Each structure stands twice: as C-alpha cells, then as structure tokens.
Amino acid sequence: MRKLIWPVLFLLLLVIQGAVTVFYTGWPAFDLLLVFLYVFTIINGKYWGAAAGVIIGFFQDGLTLGMFGFHMLTRAVFAYVMGSVYKNIYNGNMAYHVGMMALSTLVIQSCYCLVELVAGGWQWRALPSLLWQALGQSVGNGILVLPVLFLGMLVQKWVTQKDITYNLDSKHESAKRDN
C-alpha cells in the first residue's frame, strides 16, 4: 500500500511544475518531472523507470503544445539509459547526479531544438533562443536534482520500512483468539 506514494508524488510534482511555470519564466528553468523520473529510475531500476518514463511522457505530451510522442520517447530512453549507466558507474558522490542530470537535460533539449528546427522549416533564427533555453533548463535541473534525490530517498526509506502497527494488530488478534 505504501508504494502508492510514488503516483501521488508524481501528481503533486505535476501540479507544482504546472503552477511554477505559470508564475516563473526566468532563465534557469527546470523540468521537475524529468528530475523525478531520474530519481525514480535510480531507486527502482531501468525497467520500472522506462515504464514510468512512458507514463510521465504521456502526461507531458498531453499538457504541452509540442510534438506528441517526443516526451514519451525521450523519457523512456532517458530512464532506461540512466538505469543502465547508474548501476555500472555510480560511486556514491553527489557530483555524479548533478553532472548526469545536467548533461542528460542538455542532450534531451538539444534533440528538442532539432525537432523544433525541422518542424519550423529550418528557421535558424530560433536556434540561439532554443539553445539558451536548453542551457537554462540544464542548469536548473542540475541544481534541483539533489533536493529531489533526498526526497526520493526519504520516500523509499518510508516505503521499505516495516510497519509495526500491522505486527501489533496481528499479535493482538491472535491473543484474542487464544483466550
């Protein structure tokens, strides 16, 4: 039952992402759902991460005006690659998370720039603006990954800890039956 906290956390972050992007339009932007997906993938593995990436991407595709399917594809590939790479490379340092999140965001946003250029008929005037936005989101996600990682680790600890109230209730019920 405690594993249901992950979808609830996703919906909460979706609402926060939507509300913040309305009120804040500054340069260091962020994609809170991508950062959440990174943390979820690190905790639950590449297959669960890829499945969550498709679901998160579906919601993002539905809520944005971009090319439908772009977020689903990039989130699923991102989660699978991060899940595969994390098990082989991670050595316990936090700089790894910041670097991987920033680099991954930059790659995803660069792919988005390419898609926008193709869809816009190769309007090269938009390229500097798109690359500046990509750099800003890369910086924002790199900064945001550590607090979200800390939150994810707390949630995972809470999910996996043994709930003693069930044990006490079962002992109490068995004691009632014995008397």
Side-chain angles (χ1 to χ4, degrees):
M1 189 68 166
R2 288 182 179 212
K3 288 194 180 260
L4 289 177
I5 191 65
W6 291 110
V8 171
L9 187 58
F10 160 69
L11 291 174
L12 176 69
L13 294 176
L14 181 67
V15 169
I16 291 171
Q17 176 77 31
V20 168
T21 54
V22 169
F23 297 112
Y24 175 73
T25 57
W27 177 70
F30 57 88
D31 186 353
L32 195 54
L33 296 176
L34 184 66
V35 176
F36 171 73
L37 179 61
Y38 175 78
V39 171
F40 182 81
T41 301
I42 285 174
I43 293 172
N44 294 305
K46 61 184 174 185
Y47 297 115
W48 283 107
V54 170
I55 294 168
I56 288 171
F58 177 75
F59 278 100
Q60 284 186 309
D61 280 334
L63 296 173
T64 60
L65 300 174
M67 302 285 273
F68 189 80
F70 175 79
H71 288 96
M72 285 190 292
L73 177 66
T74 56
R75 278 21 177 202
V77 170
F78 166 77
Y80 187 81
V81 169
M82 287 299 112
S84 299
V85 170
Y86 175 76
K87 296 296 181 187
N88 297 329
I89 295 176
Y90 176 65
N91 292 325
N93 61 3
M94 293 299 158
Y96 170 82
H97 296 294
V98 173
M100 285 304 288
M101 191 71 239
L103 181 65
S104 300
T105 303
L106 195 58
V107 168
I108 290 171
Q109 288 299 312
S110 297
C111 292
Y112 181 72
C113 290
L114 183 64
V115 168
E116 284 294 320
L117 280 175
V118 170
W122 298 101
Q123 296 287 332
W124 292 101
R125 293 180 304 240
L127 187 61
S129 173
L130 290 171
L131 290 176
W132 184 249
Q133 178 186 0
L135 185 62
Q137 192 166 26
S138 178
V139 169
N141 284 355
I143 293 170
L144 198 61
V145 72
L146 293 180
V148 175
L149 181 64
F150 180 70
L151 175 68
M153 294 298 179
L154 285 177
V155 167
Q156 182 63 17
K157 183 178 177 184
W158 178 75
V159 166
T160 56
Q161 83 182 20
K162 195 167 190 161
D163 192 2
I164 61 167
T165 58
Y166 293 128
N167 290 337
L168 293 176
D169 288 342
S170 65
K171 288 179 185 177
H172 183 23
E173 291 298 321
S174 65
K176 277 185 184 178
R177 280 180 272 162
D178 291 340
N179 289 334

